[in-house]
Amino acid sequence: MLIKRIISGFFLIFISILLIFLGKLPFTFEIAFISLLGVLELYNLFSLKGFNSFKLYGSISTLLIVFCASLKPDFLFNLLLILFLANIVIVTVNKIRSISSVIDLGITYLGYLYIGWLFSYLILVRDISDYFLIFNF
C-alpha cells in the first residue's frame, strides 16, 4: 500500500510540474482535482472515527475556493467564503439536534477551509509573474 502511494506521488509531482508550464487552466483543474480528493479523504477518515460531515457542501465549497483563487479577484474570493459559511450554517440549523451535529459541522468547515484554502495558494503562487526567475541562476 505504501509503495503504491509513493509511486502515485512521484507521478503526481511529474504531472504537476508539467501542468505548471502548460498554463493556468490545466493547472487549476489539477489543483481542483487534488483538493477534492484531499477533502474527501479527510472526510472519510473522520467517518471511520464515527463523525459525519456534510461531504457535498464541503466538496462544493472546496472546489469554489480553488476556482475563485484562479479568477483572483479578492472581493469575490472573500464573498464566496462568507456565503458558503452562511449556507452551511443555514442548511444545518434544521439538522442540529445534538452536540455531535455541531462537531460534524466543524469537521466540514475544517475540511474545506484547510484543504481548499491551502491548495488555492498553489494557484496564486503559480500566477506570480516572475516565477521563471527561480530557474535562471
Side-chain angles (χ1 to χ4, degrees), residues 1-3 9 23 30 35 38 48 56 66-68 70 78-79 84 93 95 102 115 117 127 129 135:
M1 184 74 173
L2 182 63
I3 299 291
E30 182 209 13
S35 64
L48 290 175
L56 178 66
V66 169
F67 283 116
C68 281
S70 175
N78 293 330
L79 179 66
F84 268 90
V93 162
K95 295 183 180 182
V102 175
I115 294 175
W117 207 297
D127 287 343
S129 62
F135 301 107

Side-chain angles (χ1 to χ4, degrees), residues 5-137:
R5 286 187 182 251
I6 290 172
I7 291 172
S8 63
F10 281 128
F11 180 72
L12 190 61
I13 289 171
F14 174 73
I15 296 296
S16 297
I17 291 172
L18 180 68
L19 289 175
I20 285 172
F21 294 108
L22 284 179
K24 184 176 184 176
L25 193 61
F27 186 67
T28 301
F29 279 109
E30 182 209 13
I31 294 299
F33 178 72
I34 292 171
S35 64
L36 184 62
L37 286 178
V39 79
L40 290 176
E41 180 75 19
L42 181 71
Y43 291 155
N44 287 333
L45 287 174
F46 276 115
S47 69
L48 290 175
K49 293 293 183 181
F51 299 109
N52 296 317
S53 60
F54 302 100
K55 292 181 183 180
L56 178 66
Y57 292 110
S59 300
I60 290 171
S61 299
T62 300
L63 290 175
L64 285 174
I65 286 173
V66 169
F67 283 116
C68 281
S70 175
L71 297 175
K72 205 163 78 171
D74 292 330
F75 176 74
L76 183 61
F77 190 70
N78 293 330
L79 179 66
L80 186 66
L81 177 67
I82 291 169
L83 288 176
F84 268 90
L85 286 172
N87 189 21
I88 289 177
V89 170
I90 289 169
V91 167
T92 58
V93 162
N94 296 330
K95 295 183 180 182
I96 293 179
R97 303 284 185 237
S98 66
I99 194 68
S100 66
S101 296
V102 175
I103 293 171
D104 297 340
L105 182 63
I107 290 170
T108 304
Y109 285 150
L110 171 77
Y112 83 81
L113 286 177
Y114 181 67
I115 294 175
W117 207 297
L118 174 74
F119 281 106
S120 70
Y121 276 97
L122 291 175
I123 295 171
L124 296 174
V125 168
R126 188 226 171 261
D127 287 343
I128 295 174
S129 62
D130 296 329
Y131 71 93
F132 280 109
L133 292 177
I134 295 170
F135 301 107
N136 295 331
F137 291 102

